Amino acid sequence: MNTSIKLTIYCLFSFFSILSTEAQQKKRIEIQQAGAIIKNEDKYPGAQVILRNDEGQVHITHESIAMWCDKAIQYKNDNFIEAYGNVKMIESDSIIMNAKYVEYSGKSQLAFASGDVILKTPDSELKTDTLYYDRIKQQAYYRSGGKVVKDTSGTITSKIGRYYMNLKKYKFIDSVVMINKESTIKTNFFDYYEDTKEAYLYGPSTIITPESETYCEKGFYDTQLKTGYAVKKAKIYYDNRIVEGDSLFFDNNTSFASATNHIKVTDTINKSIVTGHYAEVFKAKDSVFITKRALVSTLQEKDSIYIHADTLMVTGKPEKRITRAFKNVKLYKSNMSGKADSIHVNHATGLTQMINISKGSNVDLFSVKQKPILWNIKNQITGDTIHLKSNPETEKIDSLIVFDNAFVISKDSLDAGYNQINGKKLIGLFNDENELYHVDILKNAQSIYYMRNENNELVGIDKSKSGSIEIFITNREIDEVKKLNQIDGKIYPESEFPDKEKLLKGFDWREEERPLSVEDLFKDDPPLVLPKIKGLEDYIPQEDFFDKEMLERIETADKESIPNSEEGKASRNLPKRVKNKTRPVGYKNVPK
């Protein structure tokens, strides 16, 4: 090899050696300011003790961090330092940590702090007793309780927490509580983003505000906008109402909530429950709008009355509550059922109005079908409008009024024909068993009545016209009929009763429409297709702070320091479960 080539190789080797030496020097912990340096091999073998003076604290640097303290113990061979008293560490001018004690390995680049630890970021301040800070991953971690203070979002406390500096994200675990001026959040798994002020909740969680309390086992909340979503066993409590659904959106600025799929709204004061598959709740207006198989059930006299419609609205304060049902309305009670185009219920006065909105002529078959209809035991009652009156205190139905084209039909006890009465207006009275016992037909009354003796034998068929008719009902059978201002009438033997006389004008027997159960209220509804709720992603368990890559760094640092000391300094303050390679605390029973 000629001299020229040898010289070139030597120069290259020297150059790379210089670069390597400079790189190593850059990675070493340096003392920039010290008042005194003391060596005590008996007490601190292989170390030097560095003390502050009146001019200032000990100043230490390593790459992008700077540290100040009252006293430091430096292990040069291990590239390791212990800092005591009023310790302050700054990372790249954006992360500031204060503590009573900090130890730091320049090899593993893991810091351990204890004693009144405060970690400050541009947007928050974390307080805890002990903190691990990994400069490589840019993460901080505590496991013995911590408190994060936010200027605009309040405070967050938890048993375990981690801060991801690059993402500006906190991940809290176990006994998490967030408190600000507007709300208090309690959960066990909580992700929080500093920039967007968005929070993700997992596991049993509650959001409490002066206006409401929201519960879910998976949810999202924007702490700045005060809006959010709740899924998985989601509930919102608004004073006297409980709103439940597969998915809930809520706005705490306006106390508004909307719910989708399998909705249940419980009124704890008026003892009513509204169900459906889409709902909107306005707390300020004390109103509920619900559709998609909407159903409201109200407890009356230990027996619930159910109303089903395309759309339901419940509005007003509890003492002035109104229920409105629109389109294809049906109602069911154990001894009563009905249908109407719409129903209006005033809970304060106890008045239920069954209304026919159709404006078609009376001869139009569709219009006739749309007339409100009520079934009570054996009686079918129709008219242009039907009112049911209940006693608001006893909640018992006490009377019935049918306006215009009132028509009552019941089958004869032995199916010989139909008892029929019609007229301008009907007034009916109910007994304590919610059964009609007295009926008055007013103006232009007509009747067909199958008369039977005490042996239930048919003795004749009475057909007549009167100014009005009074009917007395006993044991669900017509007991007596009184005609007032009778115009004409005739009693026919059964054999002589003409077929054309058997039905009064406007007769419309609709027994096949009669709901006989709550399930029957839905039998004419089109097939229900519910939207698929994507919702929020399932909880992703955080990777262990002390992961494989970090442990390899710590192990390497220990191996290099053990020849110079009795123990590996980089690993000495690791949690026991890490040293024992056990599963992390707080990572069990992670919600799905």
Side-chain angles (χ1 to χ4, degrees), residues 84-99:
Y84 298 85
N86 301 307
V87 184
K88 182 177 183 180
M89 188 172 80
I90 299 177
E91 167 83 32
S92 302
D93 297 327
S94 60
I95 304 297
I96 302 172
M97 184 169 69
N98 297 89

Side-chain angles (χ1 to χ4, degrees), residues 178-186 205-215 221-223 225-228 235-239 250-257 283:
M178 179 177 187
I179 300 175
N180 58 30
K181 293 180 181 179
E182 295 82 16
S183 62
T184 298
I185 301 174
K186 297 180 180 180
S205 308
T206 57
I207 302 171
I208 303 168
T209 71
E211 296 78 22
S212 66
E213 180 176 329
T214 302
Y215 173 88
Y221 188 59
D222 189 315
T223 61
L225 298 179
K226 294 183 282 187
T227 61
K235 293 182 182 181
I236 298 178
Y237 298 83
Y238 284 132
D239 293 340
F250 54 95
D251 184 341
N252 286 333
N253 299 287
T254 58
S255 294
F256 166 80
K283 180 180 181 291

Side-chain angles (χ1 to χ4, degrees), residues 559-576:
K559 285 180 179 178
E560 292 176 358
S561 65
I562 286 174
N564 302 309
S565 61
E566 295 179 358
E567 64 171 351
K569 294 181 177 57
S571 64
R572 66 184 183 182
N573 274 307
L574 290 181
K576 289 182 180 180

Side-chain angles (χ1 to χ4, degrees), residues 2 33 36 82-83 87 115 138 168 171 212 221 227 243 261 294 311 348 388 404 417 488 495 497 501 515 521 534 585:
N2 62 42
Q33 166 70 31
E82 300 171 359
V87 184
Q138 284 291 285
K168 291 190 175 181
K171 207 170 185 73
S212 66
Y221 188 59
T227 61
V243 184
N261 293 356
T311 302
L388 281 169
D404 297 323
D488 62 25
S495 60
F497 191 40
E501 300 289 331
L521 298 175
K534 182 179 179 181
V585 175

